[in-house]
Amino acid sequence: ITIFFFTSTVLQLQFFSWWSSYNEAINYLATVPKYRIQATEIARQQGLLNKTKEKGKNRRSKEEIREEEEEIIKDIIKNKIDIKGGYQKPKIYDILLFQILLAPFYLCKYIVWYCWWIYCFTIKGQEYGVEEKLYIIRRYMKMSQSQFDSLEDHQKETFLERQLWIRENYEVYKKEQEEELKKKMAMDPRWKRYRRWMKNERPGRLTFIDD
């Protein structure tokens, strides 16, 4: 009973912690122009913002109107806008206990999917669809699904245009990105200072000072 109570408490704390982080993320996204503009437009189309400015007996102060409009925008971001990456709404199935219990199901699901992949693309030689191409690109980039989902659509379109699901194309792209990163770091004043420090005062260097 004690173990059950302890486990239950930990799971509840974990889930509520996720919800707290999720609400903090929503508060942040409400300040990001991309999501705020979308949410404001949806609110206008649905006439939600007009209701906050009613006159007569229901008239409210500017501060109350602003707070209510802010809550409307946040609510629309939560429920209407497709939020990708690490800002997704937490689900109870994401809790470790459920992940362990559902592990056999996920394993069977993966085996079925893998057999389907081999049959379609190795045995039958079908061409990859968009989802399959993006899956291969994501694997090459060693990114999780949530990390890949957080990328902008135009970035994914670039990946497809450059045919990065083909290994040779991806290697060229990877080398280009590495070279670009090196150039940016070479131009960064902070990186220049760090290199000078490593050259002149690098850790572990023995210095002899004459008495």
Side-chain angles (χ1 to χ4, degrees):
I1 297 174
T2 304
I3 295 174
F4 174 78
F5 176 76
F6 176 75
T7 304
S8 176
T9 303
V10 170
L11 293 177
Q12 288 180 42
L13 289 173
Q14 182 185 21
F15 194 65
F16 285 124
S17 174
W18 283 352
W19 265 104
S20 176
S21 298
Y22 171 71
N23 287 324
E24 287 178 9
I26 293 297
N27 290 337
Y28 164 72
L29 292 177
T31 67
V32 176
K34 172 184 174 181
Y35 294 102
R36 190 173 187 87
I37 291 170
Q38 278 184 269
T40 303
E41 185 59 30
I42 292 172
R44 284 203 183 101
Q45 290 174 0
Q46 296 181 353
L48 297 175
L49 296 182
N50 295 332
K51 292 179 181 179
T52 64
K53 299 176 181 179
E54 293 176 352
K55 297 180 179 181
K57 294 181 180 179
N58 296 324
R59 188 173 182 179
R60 285 167 286 228
S61 67
K62 289 183 178 180
E63 183 63 25
E64 288 175 327
I65 292 173
R66 190 191 65 78
E67 289 177 0
E68 189 171 343
E69 287 180 349
E70 198 67 23
E71 287 303 315
I72 289 171
I73 288 172
K74 289 177 184 177
D75 190 56
I76 289 174
I77 291 174
K78 285 182 184 179
N79 302 305
K80 303 287 186 181
I81 297 176
D82 181 23
I83 302 173
K84 300 176 181 178
Y87 300 121
Q88 293 174 333
K89 187 180 294 186
K91 299 175 183 177
I92 195 168
Y93 297 111
D94 293 331
I95 293 175
L96 180 60
L97 177 62
F98 284 97
Q99 292 292 308
I100 294 172
L101 294 175
L102 293 171
F105 167 76
Y106 289 134
L107 178 61
C108 292
K109 187 177 178 181
Y110 174 77
I111 292 172
V112 170
W113 172 85
Y114 185 74
C115 291
W116 168 83
W117 184 281
I118 295 295
Y119 174 73
C120 289
F121 304 115
T122 303
I123 297 175
K124 294 185 68 177
Q126 293 181 5
E127 292 187 4
Y128 295 126
V130 173
E131 291 300 320
E132 290 73 35
K133 291 174 181 176
L134 290 175
Y135 169 76
I136 295 171
I137 294 169
R138 179 174 69 80
R139 292 298 298 270
Y140 285 161
M141 293 182 169
K142 298 179 181 179
M143 299 175 70
S144 67
Q145 186 65 59
S146 61
Q147 288 174 324
F148 195 76
D149 287 343
S150 66
L151 297 176
E152 297 290 341
D153 290 338
H154 68 84
Q155 290 176 288
K156 296 176 185 177
E157 289 172 6
T158 300
F159 298 159
L160 293 173
E161 287 172 3
R162 297 196 57 173
Q163 300 183 346
L164 297 189
W165 67 89
I166 300 172
R167 188 78 196 193
E168 292 78 10
N169 294 345
Y170 173 73
E171 291 299 333
V172 172
Y173 172 82
K174 181 182 177 183
K175 189 171 291 186
E176 289 175 358
Q177 294 300 302
E178 289 173 351
E179 290 299 322
E180 186 177 337
L181 180 60
K182 287 179 182 178
K183 289 178 182 177
K184 286 181 179 179
M185 292 177 71
M187 298 299 291
D188 190 336
R190 291 172 297 180
W191 180 245
K192 288 180 180 179
R193 287 196 297 270
Y194 174 72
R195 282 187 300 174
R196 284 197 299 269
W197 178 79
M198 287 296 292
K199 183 178 179 180
N200 301 320
E201 304 291 340
R202 58 184 178 275
R205 185 184 180 194
L206 296 176
T207 305
F208 297 92
I209 304 174
D210 294 333
D211 292 333

